[in-house]
């Protein structure tokens, strides 16, 4: 069983002076070698990672607040807090801290003596305590000076705070405040402002409890109205008593709860409006004030949650059709703030909080609210829904599936009575609000799309022994909701181009495509069946003709994600419907512009080439080669053609494949030492000393008399010699002709170009002497062993010559050689001239 005594939540104070939750874990103390001292360690309860490692510095001031909270400053503007689940655990850690610092655990704060000189420290420690002047009108200036002089010294601050607590001094000062106001003693009021402001900077919880009590808080605010820097006093009390109104959307019967709400509002007002903006040196002196507000909110949430009558009335009025619009808006805003406060709760308390709301019927209530016309009410309801989804998406999924089952049961009965069921599912309401967002920037739609993405994400779905949430929910979603999500997409793609192509529509369709792309990546047969049965990809690719580049790229990204799965069901669907055509058209229409569209399309074809997706390679070359063959500024399309030719040659020469298999199997049977000797000989061999077509064979291989192996090798080498002699003649003739390739053209007609390959048949038309189907065709480049020249394609564009290697996919495990020297120097010189 988990030790709940040491269970803590770690908080840090951010730049906005708000406490950020850094996670929940278990705290311990121990010696850390790296920090050279006793340290506080908090390890996350989720994965055991280290949330906090803080050395207990003898000079750091630690504070214990509200029995379950320890707060301290690690550095300037970096405050930390540990909130304990149980008081016993807080006391244990507090004793450890006090033990390291040599303090009595009965104190609520330890001292930092770093800033004091030795003389000051001796003087302060030698005096038993701090004597305050008598609280009289004539001595206000002396009191103000004493407070100001004590603030720089931590020990003096501590002694001053203790004196103020023990003598009931604050209430006496507030009595003087009334006297000064009655006498209109402005100088005295200015002194009181400085005194009260200084007391705030003492950062002491015990003092705040006195100052923020019901009888004192308004007088404290009154003292802070008389800032000497202002010509006229502020009227904070008038605002709080006359302008600010406390609205009880539902009457609160608990007087303690009501008082806590008033107190929290007023203290928040003091922090935000009354106190001057703290200086850099004063910033950390108000950490206790932030903590006071923070933990007051925690108490309010807990007390409201326990008030069952209050919550029952709240949800009853929310869903009551008789409730007027203004009242309902107040109720929804209250519920939204209530959920926001819940983020301060410990995990187990937050569990209970949302479970309570769920039992009270928050999701059916949200369904009613989201169906209303009031935009502000719907916006607040969306925020509440986001809290629920982010906290527990499984709870939301369970509700919508139960709702769908109930609707199905009702529909069956109504169908028998020939009545239509008009009930709308909660999740479909969310989708409709996303689709119908009137904001030009679609801010609400983006938020809702994120919630939908969380709901359909299999990563956060549970799998139990008796049911699988993923199977059940995705089955429900594709049956009841997917048609609503894709409705705007299908409505806008009935023709060859989008029927509506304004910016807002394009943004919405981009959001829908983003979610569909997520589904392709994370769902399996559900989305596959939907895409193929509804012909979704063809409709999506219509958007490639959009004038908005971001939408066309979203459509392309959707197809790229599908191709990336390398699923033959998808591939057959793409080929059967000729779904590369919109992509090729977009590529040609893009012209010679070097932009994101150009790069994205080339990357997709490059993926097909590198991954050697044979079916798509053949489909692209057979149907779109004429449109793409002039593209020579990248070698992607020529590489695809080479892949295609290799595939055909393997089909025409199955013996070559079997020979390659025999060679591989034989090579892998050799022992490691023989292989190492051969590799060393290969790398030491001088290619210039070898004749064309001469294979490097190790002495161990020469001694073998395996006719079954050597016979296909000799036949293959004869074909290779014939092939190379033919290619040399082609290179020479092409060079003598002096033709140059034209500049890059994007048209469906093939242009005259010079693309020379020492081995690749990619540039030969079918039926030509170099094509794989003609008599005398040389062996496939893919069947060339490692000791021969790899395929090198020379492309000419604008007078430049480049060499690009096309290593065969079946030889990926071998090292490629630089083949620039495979052409005779005289020929290379002619090509470069």
């Amino acid at each position: 069983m988990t030790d709940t005594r040491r269970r803590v939540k770690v908080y840090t104070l951010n730049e906005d002076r708000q406490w950020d939750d850094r996670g929940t874990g278990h705290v311990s103390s121990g010696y850390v070698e790296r920090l050279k001292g006793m340290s506080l360690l908090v390890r996350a309860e989720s994965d055991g990672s280290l949330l906090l490692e803080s050395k207990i510095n003898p000079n750091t001031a630690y504070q214990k607040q509200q029995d379950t909270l320890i707060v301290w400053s690690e550095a300037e503007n970096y405050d930390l807090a540990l909130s304990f689940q149980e008081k016993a655990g807080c006391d244990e850690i507090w004793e450890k801290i006090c033990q390291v610092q040599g303090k009595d655990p009965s104190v609520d704060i330890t001292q930092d003596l770093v800033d004091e000189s030795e003389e000051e420290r001796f003087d302060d420690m030698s005096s038993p305590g701090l004597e305050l002047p008598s609280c009289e009108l004539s001595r206000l200036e002396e009191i103000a000076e004493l407070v100001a002089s004590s603030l720089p010294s931590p020990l003096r601050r501590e002694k001053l705070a203790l004196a103020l607590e023990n003598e009931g001094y604050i209430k006496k000062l507030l009595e003087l405040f009334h006297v000064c106001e009655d006498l209109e003693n402005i100088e005295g009021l200015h002194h009181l402002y400085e005194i009260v402001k200084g007391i705030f900077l003492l950062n002491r919880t015990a003092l705040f409890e006195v100052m923020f009590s019901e009888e004192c808080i308004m007088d404290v605010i009154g003292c802070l109205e008389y800032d000497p820097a202002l010509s006229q006093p502020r009227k904070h009390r008038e605002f709080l008593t006359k302008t600010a109104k406390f609205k009880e959307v539902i009457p609160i019967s608990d007087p303690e709860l009501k008082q806590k709400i008033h107190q929290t509002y007023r203290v928040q007002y003091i922090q935000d409006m009354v106190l001057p903006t703290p200086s850099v040196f004063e910033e950390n002196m108000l950490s206790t004030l932030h903590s006071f507000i923070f933990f007051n909110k925690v108490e309010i949430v807990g007390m409201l949650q326990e008030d069952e009558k209050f919550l029952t009335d709240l949800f009853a009025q929310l869903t009551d059709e008789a409730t007027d619009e203004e009242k309902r808006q107040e109720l929804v805003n209250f519920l939204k703030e209530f959920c926001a406060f819940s983020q301060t709760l410990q995990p187990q308390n937050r569990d209970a909080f949302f479970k309570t709301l769920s039992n009270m019927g928050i999701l059916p209530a949200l369904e009613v609210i989201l169906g209303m016309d009031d935009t502000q009410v719907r916006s607040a309801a969306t925020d509440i829904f986001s809290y629920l989804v982010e906290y527990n998406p499984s709870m939301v999924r369970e509700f919508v599936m139960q709702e769908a089952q109930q609707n199905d049961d009702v529909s069956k009965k109504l169908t028998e009575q020939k009545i239509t069921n008009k009930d709308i599912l909660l999740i479909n309401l969310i989708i409709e609000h996303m689709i119908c967002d009137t904001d030009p920037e679609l801010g609400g739609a983006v938020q809702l799309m994120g919630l939908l993405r969380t709901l359909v994400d299999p990563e956060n779905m549970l799998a139990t022994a008796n049911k699988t949430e993923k199977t059940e929910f995705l089955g429900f979603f594709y049956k009841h909701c997917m048609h609503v999500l894709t409705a705007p997409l299908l409505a806008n793609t009935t023709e060859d181009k989008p029927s509506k192509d304004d910016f807002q529509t394009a943004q919405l369709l981009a959001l829908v495509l983003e979610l569909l792309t997520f589904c392709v990546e994370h769902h399996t047969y559900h989305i596959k069946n939907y895409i193929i049965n509804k012909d979704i990809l063809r409709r999506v690719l219509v958007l490639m003709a959009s004038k908005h580049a971001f939408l066309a790229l979203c459509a392309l990204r959707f197809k790229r994600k599908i191709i990336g799965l390398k699923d033959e069901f998808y591939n057959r669907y793409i080929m059967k419907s000729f779904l590369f055509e919109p992509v090729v058209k977009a590529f040609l229409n893009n012209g010679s512009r070097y932009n994101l569209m150009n790069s994205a399309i080339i990357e997709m074809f490059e993926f097909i080439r590198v991954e050697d997706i044979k079916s798509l390679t053949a489909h692209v070359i057979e149907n779109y080669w004429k449109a793409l063959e002039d593209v020579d500024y990248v070698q992607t399309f020529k590489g695809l053609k080479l892949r295609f030719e290799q595939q055909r040659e393997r089909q025409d020469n199955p013996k070559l494949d079997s020979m390659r298999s025999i060679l591989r199997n034989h090579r892998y049977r050799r022992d490691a030492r023989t292989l190492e000797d051969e590799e060393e000989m290969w790398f030491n061999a001088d290619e210039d000393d070898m004749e064309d077509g001469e294979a490097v064979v190790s002495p161990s291989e020469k001694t073998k008399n395996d006719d079954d192996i050597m016979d296909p090798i000799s036949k293959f080498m004869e074909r290779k010699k014939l092939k190379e002699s033919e290619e040399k003649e082609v290179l020479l003739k092409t060079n003598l002709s002096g033709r140059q390739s034209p500049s890059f053209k994007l048209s469906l007609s093939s242009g005259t170009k010079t693309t020379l390959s020492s081995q690749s048949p990619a540039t030969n038309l079918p039926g030509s002497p170099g094509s794989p189907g003609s008599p005398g065709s040389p062996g496939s480049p893919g069947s060339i062993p490692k000791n021969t020249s790899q395929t090198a394609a020379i492309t000419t564009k604008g007078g430049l010559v480049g060499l690009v290697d096309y290593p065969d996919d079946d030889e990926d495990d071998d090292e490629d050689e630089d083949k620039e020297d495979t052409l005779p120097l005289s020929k290379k010189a002619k090509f470069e001239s």
Side-chain angles (χ1 to χ4, degrees):
M1 183 175 174
T2 306
D3 183 8
T4 56
R5 287 182 307 119
R6 295 289 186 92
R7 195 164 185 261
V8 296
K9 186 179 279 292
V10 180
Y11 294 96
T12 58
L13 202 62
N14 62 27
E15 295 178 354
D16 299 325
R17 312 308 296 167
Q18 301 295 320
W19 286 102
D20 288 338
D21 183 354
R22 294 301 183 188
T24 303
H26 292 84
V27 64
S28 61
S29 61
Y31 186 83
V32 176
E33 181 66 31
R34 184 177 63 82
L35 300 177
K36 303 296 183 187
M38 293 293 291
S39 303
L40 297 177
L41 306 171
V42 180
R43 294 197 175 275
E45 65 178 0
S46 58
D47 57 5
S49 60
L50 202 60
L51 294 179
L52 176 69
E53 185 180 59
S54 173
K55 181 180 178 181
I56 303 174
N57 194 314
N59 299 319
T60 297
Y62 290 84
Q63 296 179 59
K64 186 169 74 166
Q65 302 173 12
Q66 301 179 11
D67 292 332
T68 57
L69 189 68
I70 297 176
V71 182
W72 72 98
S73 297
E74 287 259 309
E76 190 172 339
N77 292 329
Y78 185 64
D79 290 3
L80 287 161
L82 293 179
S83 177
F84 288 77
Q85 181 173 336
E86 296 183 14
K87 178 180 182 297
C90 183
D91 291 341
E92 284 181 22
I93 296 300
W94 183 251
E95 286 179 12
K96 293 285 186 183
I97 294 171
C98 292
Q99 182 181 350
V100 172
Q101 294 198 338
K103 306 294 179 186
D104 184 351
S106 62
V107 302
D108 288 337
I109 187 170
T110 61
Q111 298 86 14
D112 182 359
L113 308 177
V114 173
D115 295 333
E116 296 179 289
S117 67
E118 290 295 326
E119 184 179 349
E120 288 174 324
R121 191 180 308 167
F122 179 79
D123 291 344
D124 284 334
M125 293 178 69
S126 61
S127 59
L130 187 69
E131 284 193 24
L132 293 170
S134 57
C135 197
E136 299 173 2
L137 199 60
S138 59
R139 306 193 71 175
L140 281 177
E141 183 176 1
E142 184 182 347
I143 297 169
E145 288 177 357
L146 175 64
V147 170
S149 65
S150 298
L151 290 176
S153 165
L155 185 57
R156 287 181 181 176
R157 285 205 307 270
E158 175 69 12
K159 290 184 176 181
L160 175 60
L162 288 171
L164 291 170
E165 286 177 45
N166 296 335
E167 300 179 20
Y169 209 80
I170 292 176
K171 290 185 178 180
K172 295 177 185 177
L173 286 171
L174 295 178
E175 289 173 5
L176 284 182
F177 167 70
H178 286 290
V179 173
C180 288
E181 272 208 317
D182 293 340
L183 297 176
E184 297 184 353
N185 183 346
I186 302 300
E187 184 181 357
L189 290 170
H190 285 171
H191 289 318
L192 281 167
Y193 170 88
E194 297 292 349
I195 293 167
V196 172
K197 177 189 168 187
I199 293 174
F200 268 96
L201 296 177
L202 292 176
N203 212 23
R204 185 84 172 190
T205 305
L207 296 178
F208 286 157
E209 288 174 354
V210 175
M211 296 167 73
F212 299 151
S213 64
E214 186 72 21
E215 64 175 303
C216 296
I217 189 167
M218 295 305 289
D219 291 340
V220 169
I221 293 171
C223 291
L224 293 172
E225 289 179 351
Y226 293 94
D227 186 348
L230 302 175
S231 57
Q232 293 293 326
R234 299 286 178 87
K235 297 182 178 180
H236 296 301
R237 286 172 295 173
E238 182 179 332
F239 172 81
L240 289 172
T241 53
K242 296 181 180 178
T243 306
K245 301 294 182 182
F246 175 61
K247 283 189 176 182
E248 291 181 85
V249 290
I250 301 292
I252 297 173
S253 56
D254 186 350
E256 184 184 353
L257 173 59
K258 192 180 292 187
Q259 190 274 330
K260 185 71 70 175
I261 292 171
H262 283 301
Q263 183 191 58
T264 304
Y265 175 78
R266 289 167 179 170
V267 176
Q268 186 85 58
Y269 183 82
I270 290 173
Q271 182 193 45
D272 296 339
M273 305 299 297
V274 180
L275 284 175
T277 303
S279 68
V280 174
F281 302 103
E282 297 171 339
E283 189 73 20
N284 283 334
M285 294 182 178
L286 294 173
S287 60
T288 305
L289 180 62
H290 299 301
S291 302
F292 189 94
I293 296 169
F294 179 83
F295 291 101
N296 255 20
K297 291 178 179 179
V298 172
E299 287 185 48
I300 290 170
V301 172
M303 294 167 79
L304 281 173
Q305 183 184 337
E306 293 168 4
D307 193 337
E308 193 170 328
K309 183 180 182 303
F310 177 87
L311 291 178
T312 304
D313 292 346
L314 172 67
F315 285 106
Q317 292 192 33
L318 264 176
T319 53
D320 189 352
E321 293 181 2
T323 306
D324 63 73
E325 292 299 320
E326 185 178 354
K327 177 71 171 177
R328 182 173 278 107
Q329 186 172 337
E330 290 175 358
L331 290 166
V332 173
N333 285 333
F334 168 80
L335 187 57
K336 173 186 170 183
E337 191 168 0
F338 191 33
C339 290
F341 274 24
S342 73
Q343 304 306 298
T344 62
L345 295 174
Q346 296 277 16
Q348 72 277 7
N349 295 335
R350 203 183 315 165
D351 286 341
F353 172 81
F354 281 110
K355 191 172 183 180
T356 301
L357 292 186
S358 179
N359 294 337
M360 289 289 177
I362 188 170
L363 286 166
L366 284 178
E367 195 168 25
V368 173
I369 298 166
L370 287 168
M372 297 178 178
D373 296 330
D374 192 322
T375 306
Q376 289 184 332
V377 169
R378 285 208 315 265
S379 175
T382 301
D383 290 336
I384 297 168
F385 185 69
S386 70
Y387 283 120
L388 295 171
V389 172
E390 288 167 11
Y391 171 71
N392 191 348
S394 291
M395 179 179 74
V396 178
R397 285 192 284 260
E398 185 178 359
F399 169 77
V400 295
M401 284 191 289
Q402 289 175 353
E403 181 187 32
Q405 183 60 48
Q406 292 169 1
N407 284 1
D408 285 346
D409 295 341
V410 172
S411 296
K412 289 176 183 177
K413 294 177 182 178
L414 294 178
T415 303
E416 294 171 2
Q417 303 170 23
K418 297 184 179 180
I419 302 173
T420 305
N421 181 22
K422 296 184 179 179
D423 287 341
I424 299 178
L425 299 171
L426 172 61
I427 199 165
N428 283 347
L429 275 174
I430 297 295
I431 295 172
E432 287 179 9
H433 286 319
M434 179 182 114
I435 292 170
C436 301
D437 189 6
T438 55
D439 179 10
E441 299 298 324
L442 295 185
V446 172
Q447 180 188 11
L448 292 172
M449 195 277 290
L451 297 178
L452 287 171
R453 182 170 174 160
T454 302
L455 287 174
V456 301
D457 187 354
E459 293 296 322
N460 60 47
M461 294 183 184
L462 304 175
T464 58
N466 55 354
K467 68 171 186 175
T468 304
E469 186 181 18
K470 177 180 176 181
T471 303
E472 291 186 3
F473 181 75
L474 292 183
F476 152 80
F477 183 79
Y478 281 89
K479 178 182 177 183
H480 293 91
C481 309
M482 184 57 93
H483 67 281
V484 183
L485 178 66
T486 55
L489 170 67
L490 297 176
N492 207 38
T493 55
T494 54
E495 306 295 334
D496 292 338
K497 61 181 182 178
S499 53
K500 284 182 67 178
D501 205 18
D502 58 279
F503 180 71
Q504 191 163 355
T505 302
Q507 273 191 309
L508 174 63
L509 293 179
L511 281 177
V512 173
L513 280 177
E514 185 178 340
L515 189 55
L516 289 177
T517 305
F518 178 84
C519 292
V520 167
E521 183 177 4
H522 292 89
H523 301 169
T524 51
Y525 58 90
H526 292 95
I527 188 68
K528 187 192 302 182
N529 290 340
Y530 190 82
I531 288 174
I532 294 175
N533 292 336
K534 301 291 185 183
D535 200 15
I536 295 295
L537 180 55
R538 184 178 65 81
R539 304 295 285 271
V540 167
L541 291 175
V542 170
L543 302 176
M544 293 285 293
S546 171
K547 66 183 179 183
H548 299 285
F550 69 88
L551 180 57
L553 286 166
C554 281
L556 184 64
R557 190 182 305 119
F558 179 71
K559 179 171 182 177
R560 172 65 177 81
K561 187 66 69 176
I562 289 175
I563 290 175
L565 297 176
K566 297 191 283 188
D567 187 316
E568 280 303 312
F569 283 100
Y570 277 130
N571 293 347
R572 284 197 291 271
Y573 162 58
I574 290 171
M575 293 185 293
K576 181 180 177 182
S577 302
F578 292 91
L579 295 182
F580 275 102
E581 185 173 330
V583 177
V584 173
K585 281 184 178 178
F587 183 67
L588 298 175
N589 291 335
N590 189 63
S592 57
R593 285 171 291 183
Y594 178 60
N595 52 19
L596 193 55
M597 177 64 73
N598 174 275
S599 298
I601 293 175
I602 290 174
E603 189 277 335
M604 184 174 70
F605 285 110
E606 182 69 13
F607 176 83
I608 294 171
R609 185 191 74 80
V610 171
E611 295 296 323
D612 196 14
I613 306 176
K614 294 179 173 56
S615 57
L616 294 184
T617 300
H619 176 75
V620 170
I621 296 302
E622 288 171 355
N623 293 281
Y624 307 105
W625 172 243
K626 288 294 182 184
L628 301 171
E629 64 177 336
D630 283 340
V631 181
D632 57 1
Y633 57 91
V634 290
Q635 297 303 307
T636 296
F637 301 107
K638 290 180 174 57
L640 270 178
K641 182 71 181 298
L642 177 60
R643 289 283 195 206
F644 174 66
E645 297 290 358
Q646 289 171 346
Q647 291 171 26
R648 286 181 52 177
E649 289 200 17
R650 289 191 192 106
Q651 293 169 5
D652 294 342
N653 300 281
K655 291 182 179 179
L656 296 180
D657 275 340
S658 62
M659 180 205 67
R660 182 164 53 248
S661 176
I662 291 170
L663 282 172
R664 278 210 185 93
N665 293 336
H666 182 72
R667 181 183 66 187
Y668 293 150
R669 283 199 299 268
R670 282 175 281 165
D671 61 54
R673 287 171 304 196
T674 304
L675 182 58
E676 287 173 5
D677 293 340
E678 289 172 18
E679 286 179 346
E680 185 177 354
M681 190 178 80
W682 164 259
F683 287 111
N684 291 335
D686 187 353
E687 285 187 309
D688 294 334
D689 296 336
M690 292 189 292
E691 297 180 5
D692 277 345
E694 182 180 343
V696 177
V697 183
S698 69
S700 62
E701 284 293 298
K702 289 180 180 179
T703 61
K704 299 184 186 292
N705 294 316
D706 193 340
D707 293 338
D708 293 335
I709 296 175
M710 296 308 296
D711 185 56
I713 291 178
S714 60
K715 291 179 180 178
F716 171 72
M717 294 311 298
E718 290 174 5
R719 286 197 301 272
K720 180 186 173 297
K721 289 181 180 180
L722 178 60
K723 171 80 173 175
E724 289 182 349
S725 63
E726 288 178 355
E727 284 177 342
K728 288 178 181 177
E729 292 178 9
V730 172
L731 288 172
L732 186 57
K733 289 177 182 177
T734 308
N735 182 57
L736 293 174
S737 68
R739 287 182 295 163
Q740 294 286 330
S741 75
S743 59
F744 172 60
K745 289 192 241 177
L746 286 174
S747 65
L748 290 172
S749 61
S750 59
T752 306
K753 65 185 186 306
T754 304
T755 305
L756 305 176
S757 173
S758 63
Q759 196 156 353
S760 170
T763 58
N764 297 321
L765 296 175
S768 64
S771 68
S774 60
S777 171
S780 163
S783 63
I784 298 175
K786 180 176 180 178
N787 50 23
T788 60
S789 299
Q790 288 283 4
T791 304
I794 302 177
T795 58
T796 307
K797 179 185 177 186
L800 296 176
V801 178
L803 289 172
V804 182
D805 289 343
Y806 287 105
D808 180 79
D809 188 59
D810 294 325
E811 297 291 337
D812 284 345
D813 55 335
D814 296 329
E815 290 290 329
D816 292 338
E817 293 285 332
D818 184 359
K819 299 304 172 189
E820 190 172 352
D821 294 329
T822 56
L823 291 177
L825 291 175
S826 59
K827 292 185 179 182
K828 288 169 62 177
K830 290 179 182 179
F831 276 101
E832 292 169 0
S833 62

